[in-house]
Amino acid sequence: MPKRPPSRQSSSKAIQEADQSQWVFLMNDNLLEISGDIEEKPVICQLRHPKTDEGCLYLFDQHGKNVYEIIKYKEEFRSWLIGESVQKDGGIILTTQIDPVFLVLPYLIQQDKCSKYMTLDQIVIDDKYTECRRLPDCNGLNELTQVADVKGENDFKGYRYNKDKTLSWLKAKVDNLTDGIIEKGIQVIKSQSAMYVKSNKEEKLDRDAYVKYSYGMISDYLPLQISQELKTYLGIPDCEEKVSHNPVEEPPAKRVKLEDIKPLEDYSKQNDDKKKPTLSKKLSMAQKKLEKIDKKGMKSLSSFFSPKPK
Amino acid sequence: MDQSKFEADRTKKCILESEAPECTKSEPCWLGIDEAGRGPVLGPMVYGTCYSPLTSGDLLKEMGLADSKTLSEEQRESMFEKIHEASDKVGWMVEILPPTYISNSMLRRIKYNLNALSHDSAIGLIEKVLAKGVNVQEIYVDTVGDPMKYQNKLKGLFPNISITVAKKADATYPVVSGASICAKVARDYSVKNWIFAEGIDTEGLVYGSGYPSDPNTKKFMSSSLDKVFGFTQFVRFSWSTAALIIEKEGVQVRWEDDDDEEENKDAKGSASLLTFFKRSDDDPKLHRHQYFTDRCLTSLTNL
Amino acid sequence: MSMQINTETVSTAPEISCHLLPCEIHHNEEANVCKYFETTIRKEEDLLTGCMHGRPLDGEKVALPSGYTGLVVIESRKAATEEEDRMLDIKSKFNEFTYWNLDKPTSKEDMVSKALQWIDIANILHSPINQDECSQRSVTGK
């Protein structure tokens, strides 16, 4: 599990975060079916993330047959009102089924170095993320035949990584996803400039742009090396890939400090100070006009000046 | 004053009005405009207008119309009765701008300041009276801001009507006094008959004048504070008095359009937590794809 | 370390109303939501408006994607040691929630809506590949 760098945040905040003991989940209904055996419950645990190599949370269903990815939506300025209470954390934890082949693939590739057929129990072993022992039971792993050569039967199935099969399988994944994001109308062009996108609305985007996007998304589930190989396999040009520090939140829009907003006149004080507030108001109105301008297109410009994220 | 229309929803602005007397449609009229409750942190602000034929100037004077602020509440009410009784000669209209409407306007992303809000209310009243077919020839407006600028603005909008914007117009022109009385009576009534949607018992409740400097008003505000939600909709959140009490005694609430250095620092701190993967620019394997970063989606390392 | 989710209480968990506000409230406790927030909500045609700290909010009621249930999950007792398994319980559930923007009409481009769409995309990304299709593609593939 990655340790956060020693934070500059106030300690009180850190404590508050640590104290959180309530979360909002969107739970796949399959996870809520009660099985006969009440001892069987869905379990959240850390597994090695195939891309980042770090521990991330995943969820095994009550039968241990399906594994779900846990992804959290969280915007900065959000909190929940839940019934008659507040939950400071305005996040939503989404649980979606993940193809377990993605989680096994790094172990398979690792084993490839000895190029022997091995059983899953021998392949999926991890001293750091021991819960990976749950993976071999997952239903989705019959798909392993699409990334590995298989020998033997039943409990004695041996697997050996097959790169060509894997790339072909991944290509099918990319194709599927490409169809999906086209159908769902996902915007794949960086909204660097809203205007650019608008002017291109009519023109149909090249399928290549979607393929590249899908490839990028799927690469989020792959070790770096296989992701590179897939890129070549798909014929995606190995362009500079502008390091897109996808600009960390836009600087918050400025607002007149509340303290500045005063009643222009307070009869109880009689009419002393009437001129100054009007003046400052006018200035702020001008500022407001500026705010009206759609700043979307300027984002990159403003982030250019803001300090580099550390 | 029957305010049931306003009382149906105390968060929305509301127009209350008399019928336009027939004579005001044929004879040339003057129209006065004044406001009540601009300064208080509590209750609605009310814009009022009163109009009658130019020839009825003496009638208004005889009614004893005067600056509403020099009259007691009872006197104002009896004046309003008189205006009501003279409904064959005098018409009136008020617009009630409740605290929620005022706060919402002033705290919008694109701020709508109190002056603009007041001008728009006054202009709206004039337009509505004209739309009733009243033959308005002269307009008299009491102002709190710069009279000349306001006067020019109105002249631009109503080029065929003689317009006089003046300080203390409510003491000078009886038709403005009438407007001032209508506005003040409407404000007093709405404050007195305020029912709290939040279920606060008004029995024996003392608000004071509603001006931020009034100790009773301050006391009411502090004692009715809700730590999370601040105040009831009887309070203008956009007044610094209200904001300061919330800041001091309420739970901290951060908004995207907050402009506070301390808080921004804080914001960056939490952003670095959220965007942990995004920020590790040096290590490509920690980059998340744009699809996820564009949606504020991250993997969790722990709960 | 793992966390069990005690799902057997899901059928008896109370349904609860949820609002996702456009501000961060530094509070994790009781609040007078009904009296102070829900009383500000107005509905005109399909548009919801509300008010928080005097600011105007625009809201939209979101039905959860089908096949999903909203759960408020709590950890009533913190595990004493790192090794001990943690236990999560279901406190309440919901099938819809209302999200609020600060003075901005809701749209499909709102982060929440876009984020929830992940469920559909994840389904596509993680559904198994038909093997025949796969081998066929690899033959015709570049």
Side-chain angles (χ1 to χ4, degrees), chain A residues 247-265:
Chain A
V248 192
E249 269 90 300
E250 219 173 329
K254 297 283 180 259
R255 179 163 58 74
V256 187
K257 270 194 195 175
L258 268 179
E259 285 84 327
D260 297 340
I261 303 173
K262 294 202 173 87
L264 286 182
E265 193 175 50

Side-chain angles (χ1 to χ4, degrees), chain A residues 250-287:
Chain A
E250 219 173 329
K254 297 283 180 259
R255 179 163 58 74
V256 187
K257 270 194 195 175
L258 268 179
E259 285 84 327
D260 297 340
I261 303 173
K262 294 202 173 87
L264 286 182
E265 193 175 50
D266 181 341
Y267 294 126
S268 63
K269 274 197 237 149
Q270 287 315 322
N271 2 329
D272 313 308
D273 43 9
K274 277 183 201 160
K275 285 140 262 159
K276 280 171 216 154
T278 332
L279 234 167
S280 69
K281 282 294 152 198
K282 264 188 54 197
L283 222 170
S284 74
M285 275 312 283
Q287 289 165 339

Side-chain angles (χ1 to χ4, degrees), chain A residues 9 11 24 28 47 52 60 64 69 82 100-101 110 117 122 142 154 167 178 240 249 262 270 272 285 299:
Chain A
Q9 297 165 49
S11 55
V24 170
N28 188 302
L47 299 176
T52 66
F60 286 91
E69 190 177 14
I82 298 168
V101 174
Q110 190 75 25
Y117 284 89
Q122 294 170 312
N142 41 24
N154 299 328
L167 288 172
T178 303
E240 63 310 352
E249 269 90 300
K262 294 202 173 87
Q270 287 315 322
D272 313 308
M285 275 312 283
K299 197 163 157 185

